[in-house]
Amino acid sequence: MSTPTVAFDPTDNGNPRHIAIIMDGNGRWAKKRFMPRVMGHRSGVKTVKRLVEYCNNKNIEVLSLFAFSSENWRRPPEEVSLLMKLFITTLSAEIKRLSLKKVRLICIGDNSAFPQELQDMIVDSETLTKNNDGLTLVIAANYGGHWDITQAVNQISAKIKAGTLPDALITEALIAQHLTTANLPEPDLFIRTGGEERISNFMLWQLAYTEFYFTKTLWPDFSTTLLQEAIDSFKGRQRRFGRTGDQVQNQEPPP
Ligand code: FPP
């Protein structure tokens, strides 16, 4: 039976512990203004900064942002290269300030395909912030949900072959422990901006019990007020995790 690993805390304030976002609409935002697409991505970085600060101040535990999917390599090479440069400049400009604000950075995805400069910067940034106890900011870059599950299964298979797993019974918990998001709570709230209503290979395993929120607002226009609207919508929902509405109202925790 599938058991959600989402923590059930009847004393919480109703805020999501983990918000996962697909930041879509940068290109269209720029096109509407007769600007090159990269200007939309640059403006998107400003939204990232505003939202990271907001989530950190609101004591949200985890904010996950889908920055570059495994499929985004199919974009024109100039756009891919500009995105890489944007990651590098943003990371180098922001990481010290983020660390002072106690933000912990984790990058998930197959980093090996990135320029060496970016790979080094990711390692340095994760090391610098690893003991911070504020918001955990997860940047998914060259990430895909299929890739994540596959790399987890490969890790497990390697351990079985090496004889380092006590028994070879594969459980859901074992797979979850080998995903890139091991030790993080699963997303409570998933947001996609830009009007499309799909999850595009983002955190496929982790989103099993997540509440979805779609908005037509393009990512550069997604403000903290709109984020709060999404959080308020989440707070108004009844999460049942397979139970009945009556069980939830009587505050019976999941088994
Ligand atoms: C999707 O919009 C957006 C991306 C593929 C890139 C998102 C990246 C950023 C906002 C920069 C983030 C930087 C850091 C350091 C986290 P799109 O280009 O698909 O928009 P469209 O659908 O309107 O064409």
Side-chain angles (χ1 to χ4, degrees):
M1 193 193 79
S2 174
T3 308
T5 54
V6 183
F8 179 83
D9 178 3
T11 64
D12 73 14
N13 60 9
N15 274 340
R17 294 177 66 193
H18 182 171
I19 303 175
I21 308 185
I22 295 188
M23 311 178 282
D24 199 8
N26 293 346
R28 277 165 286 162
W29 183 92
K31 198 170 173 192
K32 269 172 59 180
R33 290 162 179 76
F34 305 102
M35 291 171 168
R37 291 177 58 83
V38 67
M39 296 304 286
H41 296 313
R42 286 216 176 100
S43 191
V45 171
K46 291 187 189 148
T47 304
V48 170
K49 288 191 213 164
R50 283 196 300 268
L51 264 51
V52 167
E53 187 170 351
Y54 188 74
C55 288
N56 198 27
N57 291 342
K58 272 190 84 75
N59 296 323
I60 301 289
E61 286 177 44
V62 186
L63 174 66
S64 292
L65 301 175
F66 203 8
F68 193 86
S69 76
S70 314
E71 291 75 30
N72 283 152
W73 295 106
R74 297 175 191 155
R75 292 185 173 220
E78 317 80 68
E79 182 170 342
V80 171
S81 158
L82 281 164
L83 275 169
M84 295 299 148
K85 284 195 187 116
L86 197 57
F87 295 149
I88 291 171
T89 48
T90 307
L91 213 50
S92 64
E94 295 299 322
I95 194 64
K96 288 209 177 84
R97 200 180 55 85
L98 285 176
S99 192
L100 284 173
K101 302 243 174 190
K102 300 287 173 215
V103 172
R104 175 172 70 128
L105 180 79
I106 298 177
C107 292
I108 60 170
D110 181 5
N111 292 343
S112 66
F114 289 147
Q116 192 59 47
E117 186 186 4
L118 181 53
Q119 291 186 41
D120 294 345
M121 205 169 269
I122 288 172
V123 173
D124 292 348
S125 305
E126 287 181 335
T127 308
L128 176 72
T129 61
K130 72 172 194 273
N131 294 322
N132 288 348
D133 59 3
L135 175 75
T136 296
L137 174 61
V138 178
I139 301 290
N142 198 18
Y143 176 88
H146 289 166
W147 169 84
D148 200 356
I149 296 167
T150 307
Q151 68 78 32
V153 172
N154 278 325
Q155 280 190 61
I156 293 168
S157 150
K159 286 184 186 174
I160 292 171
K161 277 190 204 135
T164 55
L165 265 185
D167 64 52
L169 180 67
I170 299 198
T171 61
E172 292 184 15
L174 187 72
I175 294 176
Q177 281 157 22
H178 289 82
L179 293 171
T180 53
T181 49
N183 304 320
L184 296 176
E186 289 183 347
D188 303 294
L189 171 61
F190 164 88
I191 300 171
R192 181 173 185 145
T193 61
E196 310 290 353
E197 299 192 351
R198 52 178 173 257
I199 58 175
S200 299
N201 199 15
F202 189 37
M203 294 194 176
L204 296 181
W205 178 284
Q206 297 88 334
L207 291 173
Y209 286 91
T210 304
E211 296 295 326
F212 285 14
Y213 185 91
F214 296 102
T215 168
K216 288 192 168 49
T217 304
L218 304 174
W219 178 249
D221 294 328
F222 193 63
S223 60
T224 53
T225 308
L226 293 175
L227 174 63
Q228 188 56 51
E229 275 179 25
I231 293 173
D232 291 342
S233 158
F234 167 85
K235 285 176 160 181
R237 298 185 194 186
Q238 187 188 59
R239 302 185 79 192
R240 294 206 281 271
F241 301 111
R243 292 165 295 156
T244 66
D246 285 346
Q247 284 176 303
V248 175
Q249 277 190 338
N250 296 334
Q251 302 221 330
E252 293 173 30

